[in-house]
Amino acid sequence: QVQLVESGGGLVQAGGSLRLSCAVSGITSSTDPMGWFRQAPGKDRELVAGIGWTNFRTYYAESVKGRFTISRDNANNIVYLQMNSLKPEDTAVYYCAAGNRWPISTGNVDYWGQGTQVTVSS
């Protein structure tokens, strides 16, 4: 019913910026809330940022507050994650996800994207 495709990952130096995009197709009414998660090798998948139907309801993990910004486009079919002041500990595979209730968490995700690698060098 919902397909999520991430893009925008890559290799950046510490202190740099990167913008991830999640293209949403299918039943877009099932994409409230949306979120970005990340998982590093040997680590649990963790929620980085969440967003409701509009840009007014957002959530950020303490580790990324002030550095990352989640947003939706006007058509609500693309979700972005703007990442600034990147740190080596931000290195992970980043996943776009659609959940079924607020707040989004790994336990209430209905659809996952394939993931995109973000590597931050020091």
Side-chain angles (χ1 to χ4, degrees):
Q1 289 186 297
V2 175
Q3 296 80 46
L4 308 174
V5 180
E6 303 99 329
S7 62
L11 173 64
V12 298
Q13 291 186 323
S17 298
L18 207 60
R19 187 178 75 166
L20 305 183
S21 298
C22 176
V24 181
S25 62
I27 305 176
T28 56
S29 60
S30 298
T31 61
D32 179 19
M34 294 288 294
W36 284 96
F37 295 76
R38 67 186 181 189
Q39 187 167 26
K43 303 291 180 63
D44 293 332
R45 188 169 299 188
E46 63 176 348
L47 176 64
V48 174
I51 189 168
W53 188 250
T54 72
N55 289 306
F56 296 105
R57 182 179 287 271
T58 57
Y59 166 85
Y60 297 96
E62 287 294 329
S63 60
V64 306
K65 281 184 177 179
R67 299 189 298 121
F68 291 9
T69 302
I70 188 171
S71 64
R72 289 179 179 257
D73 72 358
N74 292 333
N76 291 311
N77 60 5
I78 303 177
V79 180
Y80 300 100
L81 184 67
Q82 178 67 45
M83 304 184 293
N84 299 325
S85 302
L86 284 163
K87 305 174 181 180
E89 51 262 45
D90 294 319
T91 295
V93 176
Y94 283 70
Y95 298 90
C96 181
N100 53 61
R101 65 178 184 271
W102 186 266
I104 193 169
S105 71
T106 55
N108 57 37
V109 169
D110 291 325
Y111 304 96
W112 293 98
Q114 82 287 354
T116 185
Q117 177 71 47
V118 172
T119 302
V120 184
S121 63
S122 60

